Amino acid sequence: VGYYTRLERGHIGGASESVLSSIARVLQLNDVERQYLFDLARAATSSSHERFQKKHASTRVNSSTQRVLDSMSIPAVIWNAQQDVIAANVMGRALYRQQFEAEHPNFSRFIFLDPRAEDYYVELPLIRRYNAAMLRREAGRDPLNEEVTALIGELSTLSPEFRQAWAERDVHEHKCGTKIYNHPDVGVVELEYNV
């Protein structure tokens, strides 16, 4: 337990791939949890230049990516590691209208800090658990990402629900599934999503 705790805290320098694979097998980690462990190891040994590159990589999209979003007839959004919405098409803005009322739209802040999330997300407890687990996944990819760390600190300070979800120590990668929204303009809608 002590060794795994040190690994999760980023003190993983020198752990070989075979040791990490053995840990993943013994702990019966799923694919996402296994990748999280390997990301922690990679982050512990990467150079400060690589960390700087990651830190400043995803703040907005180029015009051709925005054109692709705009050509889609389904809601589409792009967010970065700290859940800031950095691009959306018209349908995405309509679906997440309440989130876009914020000066800097952020899914995590809306989910944990905005009282309107209670009505908007039909399965809010599940959404909160997944969101905290997604942030943990991002923190594992780059433990020195100051923006992700600041968001986790902010949510930990302001949201008991986040503290509870964070304490579960789950990791999650959003891939596909179904979400149920109670949209203020159209009522309850069930949508499939793909990331």
Side-chain angles (χ1 to χ4, degrees):
V1 172
Y3 185 70
Y4 182 71
T5 301
R6 285 194 309 276
L7 294 177
E8 191 166 73
R9 290 183 179 159
H11 305 293
I12 198 169
S16 70
E17 190 169 317
S18 64
V19 166
L20 296 174
S21 292
S22 296
I23 290 170
R25 187 179 64 257
V26 167
L27 294 176
Q28 299 176 346
L29 301 182
N30 64 33
D31 290 343
V32 174
E33 294 164 337
R34 178 183 165 81
Q35 187 59 50
Y36 175 70
L37 178 64
F38 277 80
D39 286 342
L40 288 173
R42 191 173 14 267
T45 58
S46 66
S47 70
S48 59
H49 174 73
E50 290 169 356
R51 289 188 185 120
F52 180 80
Q53 297 274 61
K54 279 184 175 179
K55 178 180 171 183
H56 299 286
S58 301
T59 56
R60 57 187 175 152
V61 299
N62 60 36
S63 59
S64 63
T65 302
Q66 185 63 55
R67 282 193 301 273
V68 169
L69 285 177
D70 292 340
S71 72
M72 300 174 84
S73 60
I74 59 172
V77 295
I78 298 175
W79 63 87
N80 60 15
Q82 59 271 12
Q83 301 284 310
D84 295 325
V85 180
I86 58 174
N89 64 3
V90 172
M91 292 293 290
R93 286 182 173 277
L95 178 62
Y96 296 111
R97 178 178 60 81
Q98 293 175 318
Q99 289 89 324
F100 277 98
E101 290 173 4
E103 184 176 349
H104 301 288
N106 179 282
F107 285 120
S108 295
R109 285 188 184 96
F110 183 82
I111 289 167
F112 288 103
L113 303 178
D114 195 312
R116 296 174 298 174
E118 293 281 343
D119 292 327
Y120 185 73
Y121 291 104
V122 173
E123 301 172 311
L124 185 59
L126 178 65
I127 298 295
R128 284 179 169 160
R129 283 197 320 272
Y130 280 169
N131 190 271
M134 288 166 55
L135 285 174
R136 182 174 295 283
R137 172 96 166 95
E138 290 300 333
R141 284 185 178 158
D142 185 2
L144 300 179
N145 183 320
E146 294 171 5
E147 289 87 358
V148 171
T149 302
L151 177 63
I152 291 166
E154 175 187 347
L155 296 173
S156 295
T157 302
L158 300 175
S159 172
E161 295 83 7
F162 179 80
R163 288 192 298 273
Q164 181 180 353
W166 188 256
E168 292 178 18
R169 306 185 73 77
D170 288 336
V171 292
H172 177 73
E173 184 174 35
H174 234 35
K175 291 188 177 183
C176 62
T178 302
K179 288 186 182 177
I180 304 171
Y181 303 99
N182 185 19
H183 195 278
D185 298 326
V186 297
V188 176
V189 291
E190 184 174 329
L191 299 174
E192 292 182 18
Y193 67 86
N194 286 284
V195 177

